[in-house]
Amino acid sequence: MKLSKRLQTIANMIPPNMRVIDVGCDHALLDVYLTLQGMNECVASDINENVLEKTKEMISKYQLSNQILIQKSDGLKEIDLKDDDVVVIAGMGTSTILSIIEQKGPKHLIVQSNNDLKELRVGFSEKGYFIVEEQVVLEKGIYYVIIQFEKGFSSYTEKEYLFGPILIWKRDGKTNCYFKELLDKKKRIYANLPASNAQKKKFLLEIRYLEEIIGKSFLEFEV
């Protein structure tokens, strides 16, 4: 079974011999893959009945009905969470992810949010998590950032909250391309903002951070 780049990256970040709680399981592709590898026990969870029916079909196709537990749950509310469980939440927005973590506080999380990565990092930090790993994935022309959190103290700078305390030190081509795309996007937004716009200074700061990260000299802008 072959996964998408995004799901394969998530799978690679999951330690062996730990139960995986896949929240918003999206047909349980990740769960099927991990179970076939024989390294993890999985719980495929979703609140949507149609998704759960597709999940059952996928699990049955691979003859894993006796190995993967399917659980209807609103986030983690109906999950009997154990200390060493790894919770995966991928493909949701930051506000939804943070609301799920409000329900229960798992020790180990792997998260991929579709938006507001600064708010995600700040929110997890405030809830008592630190960042263990961050990975960038390019899939069908879209960059995804996957973050591994663990329970524990964390305190980061503004630049680290914005762009990732792990990512800003990575020097691989994929991560550099991700930062360059972010830089180009923020430059375009900055250029189109009127001089009186209060967001101008914010974008200027982010542009300077990104230039520092990718090793370029600061450009001169008027605020």
Side-chain angles (χ1 to χ4, degrees):
M1 180 183 189
K2 186 174 182 180
L3 294 177
S4 66
K5 290 181 181 179
R6 182 176 64 95
L7 287 180
Q8 185 64 62
T9 301
I10 291 172
N12 292 344
M13 295 170 76
I14 295 172
N17 305 316
M18 297 178 75
R19 190 173 74 148
V20 176
I21 312 298
D22 187 7
V23 178
C25 58
D26 191 22
H27 303 184
L29 295 172
L30 177 67
D31 309 274
V32 169
Y33 174 85
L34 291 171
T35 304
L36 289 174
Q37 298 301 306
M39 301 299 286
N40 299 94
E41 176 187 350
C42 295
V43 176
S45 168
D46 208 287
I47 189 62
N48 188 298
E49 288 283 3
N50 291 331
V51 171
L52 292 176
E53 283 303 315
K54 296 290 185 181
T55 296
K56 290 177 184 177
E57 292 173 13
M58 177 63 68
I59 290 172
S60 178
K61 175 183 175 181
Y62 286 90
Q63 300 179 349
L64 298 173
S65 299
N66 293 328
Q67 297 182 59
I68 298 174
L69 175 64
I70 299 172
Q71 175 71 58
K72 183 177 181 181
S73 179
D74 177 7
L76 291 168
K77 287 181 181 178
E78 306 303 322
I79 302 295
D80 182 17
L81 201 63
K82 301 175 183 177
D83 264 3
D84 286 332
D85 287 345
V86 178
V87 173
V88 175
I89 310 175
M92 300 184 192
T94 286
S95 61
T96 301
I97 292 170
L98 292 175
S99 69
I100 290 172
I101 302 308
E102 286 284 354
Q103 299 167 359
K104 295 179 181 179
K107 290 182 178 179
H108 317 284
L109 287 120
I110 297 173
V111 174
Q112 179 263 304
S113 173
N114 290 335
N115 57 22
D116 300 328
L117 291 180
K118 178 189 174 183
E119 287 77 5
L120 182 77
R121 294 184 181 104
V122 169
F124 268 87
S125 180
E126 290 175 346
K127 294 177 190 303
Y129 289 88
F130 70 98
I131 296 171
V132 177
E133 176 63 301
E134 297 175 300
Q135 295 279 348
V136 170
V137 178
L138 177 61
E139 187 171 83
K140 296 181 180 179
I142 299 173
Y143 283 102
Y144 298 94
V145 176
I146 300 162
I147 308 176
Q148 184 176 1
F149 293 98
E150 298 280 339
K151 271 287 189 181
F153 174 77
S154 63
S155 180
Y156 301 112
T157 65
E158 178 72 5
K159 181 169 71 172
E160 289 170 331
Y161 279 127
L162 280 164
F163 303 116
I166 308 294
L167 286 183
I168 60 177
W169 295 108
K170 287 183 183 281
R171 289 297 179 263
D172 59 274
K174 179 172 54 181
T175 306
N176 283 341
C177 288
Y178 162 69
F179 283 131
K180 287 175 183 176
E181 181 171 294
L182 276 182
L183 177 60
D184 290 342
K185 178 180 178 181
K186 290 183 184 297
K187 282 182 181 179
R188 288 194 299 271
I189 295 172
Y190 180 91
N192 290 321
L193 288 174
S196 58
N197 193 298
Q199 294 292 306
K200 202 99 170 160
K201 288 184 178 180
K202 168 183 171 290
F203 277 99
L204 175 60
L205 178 63
E206 292 179 9
I207 287 167
R208 287 179 168 170
Y209 281 152
L210 284 165
E211 289 190 325
E212 181 181 293
I213 290 167
I214 63 178
K216 290 185 177 181
S217 60
F218 292 152
L219 300 181
E220 294 298 325
F221 291 95
E222 292 182 1
V223 179

